[in-house]
């Protein structure tokens, strides 16, 4: 019985234990299911979650956290080991801290969790870390990827450059563990598949609370059985007036909210009645539940609104600035147009002033050259020489001023024409040879054989640079030499770059003055007692010309040693058709030549030239060395000797005499070289049988001619033509010239110059008369002034060309004008003119142009004279300065009386033309007539008339006719004062 009773009790006990075990297993299953559900919800969250126990070991984490630190994450891993591994693997940045210091600081923050903080990983990802302690001493961490938010913040900061960092995206769902969720800064809630609330934190609850009622209980809870439904929560929220319904009814708002909740499509914003903006992020879990994360983005929204307002303000300012820029652009365009008009006006002013200055200068130079051709006493001839020299100096100054003005206005253009470099430089230096010889200086030009000779470029501007640099070198050098060196920098098929050096042994330029030496009007010595004159324009112009031709001008100078000016220029290669045929090298090759010169530079240059021609040089530094060399070379005596005249101890003539005393040297041909300006003894040259006396510096072409002639070689006809001077005198009969010139004085000068030269001249006073004369007469040449009354020179030329008959030869027409700009030249050539000569012209220039035409030529083109810049002339305002005018004409009273009588006849016509021009409103004709009257009055010394006529000319140029009557009255008063004085003077009374 007892055994049965025990069995019964045991059976009951087993049954109880089984029931307890089953209950325990069921409870465990429910716990595990609840835990799995929570973990599944956390796994579905957008944030990385991690849970550490009280020993700081990892007990749970989701895949987002694992992915963030992969492959370093493992259950049971200590937090310190995790972050140390992240640092060592280069994931976490330590910045300027050491690894240990960074780890220590991170551990301190981990042990004492504070507010969330941001961290930028080395891969560029921004994360927001939220850490909080659990009730059992553990720690939960939420890692939110806020990269997109940070990038948006950085982008906004870049747009307005004043924004501050936007707040990080609201942290999403937290782990299901309540303490972990509660420690999050985001509102978190989990709804099950039936849409009933399972868990939430206090921040989620706060969103659904108002000042009078709370939708959810005060304490967060987690229930084993589902709590309130989502629809009930939002209905209570809406009906309590806590929601901003955005104009909808409660039911409409609830329906819309339910639809968003059941079909999550991405985060959206909700407005709380208190103005708070909440970013709602909802996501379905794997078991059909819903995770809700509510982030307060009020500050971010407010910041966005501030940014939008700031952008709007900046946009308004930008539009305002754009409008200001538009107005500024319009003002700049108006200023540009005004500057272009000013440039045009300046160009016209240059042309007009050039014409104004050249017209009286033509009278001065022309009359002076006429006087030079008459019988004069020595004193009178000196006076004429002074006048011509002063006129040349004035013209050089005018040219410099005009060139400088053109450069300043950007209107200076370079020509491209074929020329020969060696002849160009040789001719240029020979014009300066006398100045160098007067100071006892050696002047030389060194051009190595490899430098091409036939070039395309602007030889006029090259000459201008060389003349300026060499002229300055001569001016500032008292003894020694001035040398021009040319070297080849680069050469191609179509062009070459040459370097020019002008060096001297002069006073040098102090370093303090070298920086400003190329400035306009600058002088190294500006004191009132300075020894050397000059305007300071020359170097400025030369430097700017060099810049246009190929590169900046450079200076190397030491006081007391000398100066070297260097510049480079680019040239084209002349076409084959433009090259002269070279001399046959076989005629000189192998010939021996004695070269004697005490100057080392000259010896080097001569030796280089003759070696290039295939000759064998014997070089000596003086006469004694030359005789010694001849003694040693008795078996191979020279065929030719090139001897310098001026040498120490033994002159070139003495050396030649010694050579002639030696029978073996009687057949040696001698060519001597002397400085410019030194008198030559023709009898001595004949006695010593000197073949040729050349002036230094010697041109290579002249030296070649002298050598070939001395050795008995004849130049071919085409070579002789190439070396002939373009200004050679004509030997045939004089030409019949039609001269059209409205200025009586200038007309008289041209007629006298051409008549004395043996030409026949018919003069007319305007273009219409020139056309009529050309129609009924026969002329070899027409000299046509451009500015004339009735019909100007351009129109007259066009009319004459229209009258031309096919069976008649074309008559050359040469422009004769004081306007000297390239535009004037183009207009003349376009009108049908063949040549261009600027006033004031020198007799030689006029003869060169006129006498290059044979009677009845088919056509020819004369080269234009150099353009002359504008510079207003000054006139004394006296009624009549007879003595001054007489002095200007070198005391030729008869000529002055003739000019005075012509003025008395001409001026009434000119004043009538002025009256008619004013009455007809013709400003151009007014300017022309007044200008002609002014030029004629200037020649006879009528200063008052000059001043009054100039005022009228200025009014005509400016197109201002209102003040003309007053100016006419002033002119009439001056003429009334002048007339009796001039009549008495003209009659000799």
């Amino acid at each position: 019985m007892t055994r049965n009773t025990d069995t019964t009790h045991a059976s009951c006990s087993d049954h109880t234990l089984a029931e307890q075990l089953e209950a325990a297993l069921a409870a465990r299953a429910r716990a595990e299911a609840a835990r799995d559900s929570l973990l599944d919800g956390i796994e579905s969250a957008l944030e990385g979650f991690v849970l550490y126990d009280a020993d700081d070991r990892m007990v749970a984490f989701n895949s987002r956290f694992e992915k963030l630190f992969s492959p370093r994450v493992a259950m049971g891993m200590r937090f310190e080991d995790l972050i140390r591994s992240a640092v060592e693997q280069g994931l976490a940045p330590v910045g300027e801290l050491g690894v240990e210091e960074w780890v220590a600081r991170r551990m301190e923050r981990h042990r004492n969790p504070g507010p969330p903080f941001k961290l930028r990983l080395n891969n560029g990802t921004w994360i927001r870390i939220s850490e909080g302690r659990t009730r059992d001493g553990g720690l939960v961490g939420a890692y939110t990827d806020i990269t997109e938010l940070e990038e948006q913040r950085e982008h906004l900061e870049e747009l307005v450059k004043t924004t501050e960092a936007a707040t990080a995206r609201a942290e999403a769902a937290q782990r299901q563990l309540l303490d972990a969720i509660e420690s999050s800064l985001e509102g978190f809630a989990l709804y099950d598949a039936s849409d009933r609330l399972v868990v939430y934190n206090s921040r989620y609850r706060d969103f659904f609370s108002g000042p009078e009622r709370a939708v959810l209980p005060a304490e967060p809870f987690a229930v084993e059985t589902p709590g309130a439904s989502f629809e009930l929560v939002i209905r209570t929220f809406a009906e309590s007036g806590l929601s901003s319904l955005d104009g909808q009814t409660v039911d409409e708002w609830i329906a819309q909210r339910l639809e968003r909740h059941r079909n999550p499509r991405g985060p959206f914003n909700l407005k709380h009645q208190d103005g708070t903006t909440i970013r709602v992020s909802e996501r379905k879990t794997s078991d059909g539940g819903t995770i809700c994360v509510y982030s307060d983005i009020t500050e971010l929204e407010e910041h966005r609104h501030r940014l939008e307002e700031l952008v709007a303000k900046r946009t308004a300012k930008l539009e305002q600035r754009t409008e200001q820029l538009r107005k500024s652009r319009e003002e700049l365009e108006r200023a540009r147009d005004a500057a272009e008009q000013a440039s045009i006006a300046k160009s016209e002013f240059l042309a007009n002033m050039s014409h104004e200055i050249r017209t009286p200068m033509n009278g001065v130079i022309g009359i002076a050259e006429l006087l030079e051709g008459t019988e004069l006493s020595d004193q009178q001839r000196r006076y004429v020489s002074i006048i011509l020299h002063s006129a040349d100096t004035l013209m050089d100054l005018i040219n410099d001023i005009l060139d400088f003005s053109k450069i300043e206005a950007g209107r200076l253009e370079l020509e491209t024409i074929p020329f020969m470099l060696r002849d160009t430089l040789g001719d240029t230096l020979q014009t300066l040879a006398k100045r160098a010889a007067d100071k006892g200086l050696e002047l030389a030009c060194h051009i190595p054989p490899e430098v091409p000779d036939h070039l395309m470029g602007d030889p006029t501007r090259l000459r201008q640079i060389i003349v300026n640099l060499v002229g300055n070198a001569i001016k500032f050098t008292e003894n020694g030499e001035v040398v021009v060196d040319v070297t080849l920098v680069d050469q191609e098929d179509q062009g070459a770059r040459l370097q020019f050096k002008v060096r001297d042994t002069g006073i040098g330029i102090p370093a303090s003055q070298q920086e400003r030496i190329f400035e306009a009007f600058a002088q190294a010595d500006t004191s009132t007692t300075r020894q050397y004159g000059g305007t300071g324009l020359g170097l400025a112009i030369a430097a700017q010309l060099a810049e246009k031709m190929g590169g900046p001008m450079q200076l190397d100078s030491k006081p007391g040693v000398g100066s070297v000016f260097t510049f480079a220029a680019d040239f084209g290669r002349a076409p084959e058709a433009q090259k002269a045929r070279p001399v046959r090298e076989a005629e000189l090759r192998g010939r021996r030549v004695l070269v004697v010169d005490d100057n080392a530079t000259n010896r080097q240059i001569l030796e280089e030239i003759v070696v290039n021609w295939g000759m064998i040089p014997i070089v000596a530094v003086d006469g004694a060395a030359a005789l010694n060399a001849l003694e040693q070379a008795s078996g191979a005596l020279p065929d030719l000797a090139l001897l310098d005249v001026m040498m120490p101890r033994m002159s070139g003539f003495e050396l030649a005499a010694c050579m002639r005393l030696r029978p073996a040297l009687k057949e040696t041909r001698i060519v001597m070289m002397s400085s410019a300006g030194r008198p030559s003894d023709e009898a001595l040259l004949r006695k010593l049988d000197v073949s040729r006396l050349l002036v230094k510096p010697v041109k290579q072409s002249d030296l070649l001619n002298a050598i070939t002639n001395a050795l008995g070689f004849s130049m071919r006809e085409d070579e002789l033509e190439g070396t002939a001077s373009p200004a050679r005198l004509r030997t045939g009969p004089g030409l019949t010239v039609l001269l059209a010139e409205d200025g009586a004085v200038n007309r008289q000068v041209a007629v006298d110059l051409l008549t004395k030269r043996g030409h026949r001249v018919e003069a007319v006073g305007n273009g219409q008369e020139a056309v009529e004369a050309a129609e009924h007469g026969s002329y070899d040449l027409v000299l046509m002034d451009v500015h004339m009354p009735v019909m100007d020179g351009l129109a007259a030329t066009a009319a004459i060309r229209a009258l031309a008959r096919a069976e008649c030869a074309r008559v050359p027409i040469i422009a004769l004008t004081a306007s000297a700009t390239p535009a004037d030249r183009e207009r003349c050539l376009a009108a049908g003119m063949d040549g261009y000569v600027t006033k004031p012209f020198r007799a030689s220039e006029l003869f060169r142009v006129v006498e290059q035409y044979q009677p009845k030529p088919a056509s020819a083109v004369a080269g234009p004279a150099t353009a002359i810049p504008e510079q207003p002339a000054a006139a004394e305002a006296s009624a009549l300065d007879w003595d001054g005018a007489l002095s200007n004409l070198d005391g030729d009273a008869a000529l002055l009386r003739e000019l005075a009588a012509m003025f008395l006849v001409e001026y009434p016509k000119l004043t009538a033309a002025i009256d008619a021009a004013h009455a007809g409103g013709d400003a151009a004709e007014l300017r022309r007539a007044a200008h002609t009257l002014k030029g004629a009055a200037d020649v006879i010394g009528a200063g008052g008339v000059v001043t009054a006529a100039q005022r009228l000319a200025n009014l005509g140029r400016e197109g201002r006719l209102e003040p003309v009557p007053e100016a006419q009255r002033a002119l009439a008063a001056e003429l009334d004062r002048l007339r009796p004085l001039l009549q008495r003077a003209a009659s000799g009374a």
Side-chain angles (χ1 to χ4, degrees), residues 447-762:
I447 307 178
E450 66 270 14
V451 176
D453 193 46
H454 302 276
L455 302 175
M456 297 288 293
D458 193 333
T460 301
R461 295 305 179 186
L462 177 61
R463 279 193 295 266
Q464 187 174 354
I465 298 173
I466 296 298
V467 165
N468 187 279
L469 296 180
V470 174
N472 278 347
I474 294 172
K475 181 194 299 186
F476 295 105
T477 303
E478 297 303 323
N479 53 71
E481 64 182 13
V482 176
V483 180
V484 178
D485 274 310
V486 185
T487 55
L488 178 63
V489 177
D490 189 24
Q491 182 172 215
E492 298 178 353
D493 293 340
Q494 300 300 320
R497 183 173 179 82
L498 306 182
Q499 184 182 73
F500 297 82
K501 286 188 177 181
V502 178
R503 55 183 174 87
D504 62 60
T505 55
I507 61 175
I509 301 171
S512 60
Q513 300 291 336
Q514 291 182 17
E515 291 185 1
R516 60 185 299 268
I517 198 67
F518 296 116
E519 297 177 5
F521 308 107
Q523 290 280 352
D525 178 12
T526 58
S527 63
T528 56
T529 58
R530 64 191 178 108
Q531 179 180 355
Y532 308 100
T535 62
L537 273 179
L539 269 181
I541 294 171
Q544 294 189 63
L545 288 175
E547 186 83 30
K548 289 180 71 70
M549 295 181 73
M553 185 174 290
Q554 299 174 339
L555 168 63
D556 181 16
S557 181
K558 294 182 180 179
V561 176
S563 303
V564 180
F565 287 86
T566 306
F567 69 95
D570 297 314
F571 300 97
R573 299 293 298 272
E576 290 295 329
Q578 299 288 347
K579 296 184 180 180
R581 295 174 60 186
V583 68
R584 288 169 295 176
E585 292 184 0
E587 296 176 335
L588 296 180
R589 187 175 300 279
R591 298 278 183 169
R592 296 183 179 274
V593 55
L594 174 66
V595 178
V596 187
D597 198 312
D598 62 307
N599 182 270
T601 302
N602 282 336
R603 288 198 307 274
Q604 176 191 352
I605 293 172
L606 291 172
E607 181 180 9
E608 196 172 77
I609 290 174
V610 297
V611 167
N612 186 52
W613 290 340
M615 304 181 77
I616 303 172
I618 304 170
V619 183
V621 300
D622 55 26
L627 293 176
N628 184 49
L630 290 173
E631 287 288 347
Q632 296 178 3
S634 57
L637 294 174
D639 302 291
L640 175 73
L642 300 177
L643 310 181
D644 184 21
V645 172
M646 298 300 297
M647 293 187 293
R649 294 181 295 280
M650 180 185 296
S651 70
F653 287 117
E654 291 171 336
L655 174 58
C658 292
M659 292 175 61
R660 290 304 185 214
L661 293 177
R662 301 187 180 191
L665 297 175
K666 282 188 174 294
E667 298 302 321
T668 299
R669 311 317 303 157
I670 297 176
V671 174
M672 305 198 72
M673 298 167 292
S674 174
S675 299
R678 299 189 183 278
S680 61
D681 189 337
E682 296 294 336
L684 181 58
L685 293 174
R686 287 193 298 271
K687 177 181 177 182
L688 297 176
D689 193 17
V690 175
S691 300
R692 183 81 174 271
L693 178 63
L694 299 175
V695 177
K696 297 166 64 177
V698 179
K699 288 169 49 179
Q700 287 196 31
S701 58
D702 290 345
L703 181 62
L704 179 61
N705 291 341
I707 290 176
T708 53
N709 289 337
L711 295 177
F713 304 145
S714 60
M715 298 286 285
R716 294 188 301 275
E717 182 178 353
D718 59 344
E719 292 167 353
L720 289 173
E721 290 177 356
T723 60
S725 170
R728 61 186 184 274
L729 298 178
R730 65 184 281 118
T731 57
L735 299 174
T736 300
V737 179
L738 173 61
L739 171 66
E741 166 67 64
D742 64 310
V745 176
N746 288 332
R747 189 165 61 242
Q748 185 67 42
V749 168
V751 169
D752 288 354
L753 287 174
L754 293 172
T755 301
K756 285 188 175 183
R757 190 71 168 179
H759 301 294
R760 298 172 297 281
V761 183
E762 180 178 337

Side-chain angles (χ1 to χ4, degrees), residues 63-186:
S63 60
R64 289 188 178 274
F65 181 83
E66 182 181 14
K67 181 179 179 181
L68 187 65
F69 289 97
S70 177
R72 306 168 189 84
V73 182
M75 297 296 291
M77 189 177 190
R78 295 178 63 84
F79 176 75
E80 182 177 356
D81 295 336
L82 174 66
I83 61 172
R84 188 178 295 278
S85 173
V87 171
E88 291 174 351
Q89 295 299 320
L91 177 63
V94 299
E96 297 180 355
L97 303 177
V99 173
E100 295 302 326
E101 184 177 357
W102 188 89
V103 170
R105 291 189 180 185
R106 182 66 186 92
M107 289 297 298
E108 174 64 23
R109 176 173 282 188
H110 178 75
R111 293 182 184 122
N112 299 283
F117 62 93
K118 295 182 294 185
L119 180 66
R120 183 177 184 181
L121 303 182
N122 286 334
N123 62 8
T125 303
W126 281 92
I127 58 175
R128 180 176 181 173
I129 303 175
S130 299
E131 295 176 328
R133 287 291 176 184
T134 62
R135 285 178 299 188
D136 62 356
L139 185 139
V140 63
Y143 291 75
T144 306
D145 185 346
I146 59 171
T147 303
E148 181 179 356
L149 187 61
E150 283 296 308
E151 289 176 350
Q152 179 183 7
R153 179 184 60 79
E154 291 175 357
H155 181 62
L156 291 175
E157 284 180 346
E158 181 180 357
L159 287 178
V160 299
K161 297 184 179 178
T162 56
T163 61
E164 297 179 351
T167 58
R169 289 180 56 192
E171 296 179 344
Q174 306 293 323
R175 290 189 176 275
Q176 286 186 341
L177 298 175
L178 188 59
D179 289 345
I181 295 173
E182 180 61 24
S183 67
S184 174
L185 295 179
E186 316 298 335

Side-chain angles (χ1 to χ4, degrees), residues 358-369:
R358 289 172 180 272
T359 298
M361 284 298 296
N362 190 59
V364 173
I365 294 176
I367 294 299
E369 290 189 327

